[in-house]
């Protein structure tokens, strides 16, 4: 229980926000930050822990969003069942991409470019297909009798999103403390040495990308249910992949809380900048870039390393 105590504390603190505020604007901001934090955690499993950098994780995010959207709009079925199916499809897509790429020996920048290309292909296909709504996108209905399942109350939606984020934190913590986690770290550090130690490198990386794909697809489902509208550019676009990557980098790659901290920090900062900067176009993107440069230069291990550095300085004094 002790290793998971910080997760429990974070969960309790975040769960109190809907109690102390009834602002739908603030809750929507926090929900979106949690969704990106969940997606970034999926990216973190593959890139941060396993060392397989991806530039196209929007492929899984968009797939999750479209699967649950099509499940509701075309089949008019229970969104909870669609959520589970989206997780399976996300894991399957990850396994297929991983098998084709890893079997071909792709790693590093080559693997990252392949994921970027796949996300772009899926964006073009979704934008052209008629059953996805094409360029007009897809509008999710509030189905009569399913309002509870679709989390129409922002507070309930916040708590359910938070619950999934907490589950992802527990999962990543368990992975880090497991034999599988040790194998992922070994593969990340040196694939040749890991294979010499008897680790099945291909199977290990496939498990990592399947878990990553399912987690990111779950975030896509939540996005679709929250905003009730998706289009290819939103959910398959490179901007979504960059948001996940930035959240993990700013918070701390390879850590349990890094993606969540990075997502909350970036989105809260973005809103604060918008309030003080007015309607200056692109100011939030400029701030994103400036924050990323400062983090890479002065906190290469992310915001979570700030406390450690301060303690070291105090000790040296």
């Amino acid at each position: 229980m002790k290793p998971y105590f910080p997760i429990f504390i974070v969960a309790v603190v975040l769960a109190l926000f809907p109690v102390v505020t009834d602002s739908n604007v603030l809750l929507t901001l926090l929900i979106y930050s949690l969704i990106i934090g969940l997606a970034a955690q999926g990216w973190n499993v593959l890139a941060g822990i396993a060392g397989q950098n991806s530039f196209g994780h929007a492929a899984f995010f968009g797939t999750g969003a479209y699967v649950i959207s099509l499940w509701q709009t075309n089949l008019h079925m229970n969104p909870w069942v669609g959520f589970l199916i989206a997780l399976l499809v996300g894991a399957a897509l990850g396994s297929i991409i991983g098998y084709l790429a890893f079997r071909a020996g792709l790693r590093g920048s080559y693997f990252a470019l392949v994921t970027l290309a796949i996300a772009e292909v899926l964006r073009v296909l979704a934008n052209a297909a008629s059953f996805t709504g094409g360029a007009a996108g897809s509008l999710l209905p509030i189905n009569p009798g399913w309002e509870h399942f679709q989390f129409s109350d922002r507070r309930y939606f916040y708590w359910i999103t938070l619950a999934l984020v907490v589950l992802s934190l527990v999962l990543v913590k368990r992975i880090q403390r497991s034999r599988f986690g040790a194998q992922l770290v070994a593969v990340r550090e040196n694939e040749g040495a890991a294979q010499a130690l008897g680790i099945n490198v291909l199977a290990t990386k496939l498990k990592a990308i399947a878990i990553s794909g399912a987690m990111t697809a779950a975030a896509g489902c939540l996005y679709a249910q929250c905003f009730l509208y998706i289009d290819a550019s939103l959910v398959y676009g490179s901007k979504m992949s960059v948001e996940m990557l930035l959240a993990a980098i700013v918070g701390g790659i390879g850590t349990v809380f890094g993606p969540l901290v990075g997502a909350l920090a970036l989105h809260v900062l973005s809103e604060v900048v918008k309030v003080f900067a007015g309607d200056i176009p692109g100011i939030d993107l400029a701030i994103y870039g400036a924050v990323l440069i400062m983090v890479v230069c002065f906190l290469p291990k992310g915001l979570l390393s700030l406390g450690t550095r301060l303690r070291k300085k105090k000790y040296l004094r």
Side-chain angles (χ1 to χ4, degrees):
M1 178 63 185
K2 188 176 179 181
Y4 302 97
F5 187 70
I7 298 177
F8 173 76
I9 295 298
V10 169
V12 171
V13 171
L14 291 178
L16 292 176
F17 274 100
V19 178
V20 299
T21 180
D22 57 355
S23 171
N24 277 335
V25 174
L26 179 57
L27 285 179
T28 301
L29 170 64
L30 292 174
I31 288 169
Y32 183 66
S33 299
L34 291 176
I35 290 172
I36 297 302
L38 177 59
Q41 193 69 269
W43 184 90
N44 188 46
V45 170
L46 182 63
I49 302 177
Q52 311 303 310
N53 292 318
S54 166
F55 289 166
H57 242 56
F60 306 117
F61 188 92
T63 297
Y66 268 107
V67 166
I68 197 168
S69 172
L70 295 174
W71 181 262
Q72 290 177 238
T73 56
N74 293 3
L75 300 179
H76 307 287
M77 301 295 286
N78 190 310
W80 281 107
V81 178
F83 180 80
L84 295 177
I85 291 175
L87 295 186
L88 294 175
V89 173
L93 178 62
S95 299
I96 293 170
I97 294 173
Y99 184 81
L100 295 175
F102 298 143
R103 285 283 292 181
L106 299 179
R107 65 179 72 175
S109 58
Y110 296 103
F111 176 72
L113 291 174
V114 164
T115 58
L116 178 62
I118 291 173
E120 183 63 16
V121 168
L122 291 175
R123 185 192 68 79
V124 172
L125 292 176
N127 203 43
S130 58
F131 65 90
T132 63
S138 177
L139 186 65
L140 276 72
I142 294 290
N143 296 311
W146 289 349
E147 292 86 350
H148 174 67
F149 293 105
Q150 291 180 291
F151 325 127
S152 56
D153 189 315
R154 273 288 181 265
R155 294 173 301 166
Y156 294 124
F157 194 95
Y158 174 86
W159 283 321
I160 290 175
T161 304
L162 176 61
L164 291 174
V165 170
V166 171
L167 285 176
S168 74
L169 295 175
V170 172
L171 175 61
V172 171
K173 188 66 176 179
R174 286 184 65 86
I175 288 174
Q176 286 186 337
R177 294 169 55 84
S178 68
R179 183 177 181 179
F180 173 57
Q183 292 173 342
L184 289 177
V185 172
V187 169
R188 180 187 69 195
E189 297 301 323
N190 192 316
E191 289 190 17
Q195 193 164 12
L197 290 172
I199 297 174
N200 188 330
V201 173
L202 176 61
T204 301
K205 292 196 291 187
L206 286 178
K207 289 178 186 176
I209 196 171
I211 294 171
S212 178
M215 290 175 65
T216 311
C221 290
L222 291 172
Y223 180 91
Q225 294 295 330
C226 179
F227 298 103
L228 299 176
Y229 171 79
I230 58 172
D231 68 28
S233 298
L234 282 174
V235 296
Y236 278 130
S238 58
K239 182 179 182 296
M240 188 59 69
S241 295
V242 170
E243 281 201 66
M244 302 177 209
L245 186 149
L246 281 179
I249 290 176
V250 170
I253 295 178
T255 63
V256 175
F257 290 103
L260 177 59
V261 170
L264 289 170
L266 285 174
H267 288 98
V268 171
L269 177 63
S270 176
E271 291 303 312
V272 170
V273 169
K274 287 178 182 177
V275 170
F276 287 99
D279 298 326
I280 302 175
I283 187 65
D284 55 331
L285 297 178
I287 295 296
Y288 268 30
V291 169
L292 180 60
I293 291 171
M294 288 190 291
V295 168
V296 170
C297 291
F298 302 107
L299 292 171
K301 294 184 179 180
L303 292 175
L304 290 182
S305 67
L306 182 59
T308 304
R309 293 187 63 175
L310 291 175
R311 284 196 299 271
K312 285 183 178 179
K313 287 183 177 180
K314 184 178 180 181
Y315 176 78
L316 291 173
R317 289 178 182 176

